[in-house]
Amino acid sequence: MATEQDVQGLAGLVRRLDEASASAAHYPHLPALQPLRDAWQQLHADSRLRIALQQTPAEGGPLNSAVLVHRMLDTMHALSPAYLRHFIAHADTLAWLERLPPANAAATKRPPRKRGKAER
């Protein structure tokens, strides 16, 4: 379950993204571009899948994480290619969000700890 701090952090991130997109007048939302976006998403997901499947280790045990991910991707591709594309897009978005610097980078740093008499 999400804590109040997580919710505030997520709300802050959504606010930052909304403010940044609202101030970007040079990048309006054009509905006519949606088929192009969908085609790009499909090509990108297929490319990422092809790369991931080529990097499968030859000598992995049954519980090797790389082998398990390979089997999961392969099975997901066989059962529901559309869901796999959605999953890859979601994972790419999470990877992109992870690279964002925190909004309050200065506030997250801890002040230096004062040393007591016992540590001196």
Side-chain angles (χ1 to χ4, degrees):
M1 182 167 272
T3 65
E4 184 177 327
Q5 183 180 7
D6 293 339
V7 174
Q8 289 175 351
L10 182 58
L13 175 63
V14 170
R15 262 194 315 278
R16 279 180 45 214
L17 292 173
D18 284 344
E19 289 168 0
S21 65
S23 66
H26 63 280
Y27 189 68
H29 179 70
L30 300 174
L33 291 178
Q34 193 59 43
L36 181 63
R37 288 185 183 111
D38 293 341
W40 170 251
Q41 183 180 7
Q42 182 174 357
L43 286 172
H44 180 69
D46 291 344
S47 169
R48 300 285 280 189
L49 176 65
R50 204 170 27 257
I51 290 169
L53 293 178
Q54 288 174 353
Q55 296 176 349
T56 304
E59 300 284 331
L63 297 179
N64 182 309
S65 61
V67 172
L68 291 174
V69 168
H70 176 270
R71 279 195 309 193
M72 182 267 310
L73 291 173
D74 206 21
T75 303
M76 200 182 297
H77 182 64
L79 294 176
S80 178
Y83 183 78
L84 177 62
R85 281 193 297 277
H86 177 76
F87 177 79
I88 290 175
H90 184 72
D92 281 345
T93 301
L94 289 175
W96 176 80
L97 286 173
E98 189 175 43
R99 290 190 301 261
L100 280 179
N104 53 359
T108 58
K109 291 185 179 177
R110 293 183 186 173
R113 207 175 76 169
K114 293 181 181 178
R115 292 174 29 171
K117 291 181 181 179
E119 293 178 356
R120 291 184 190 164

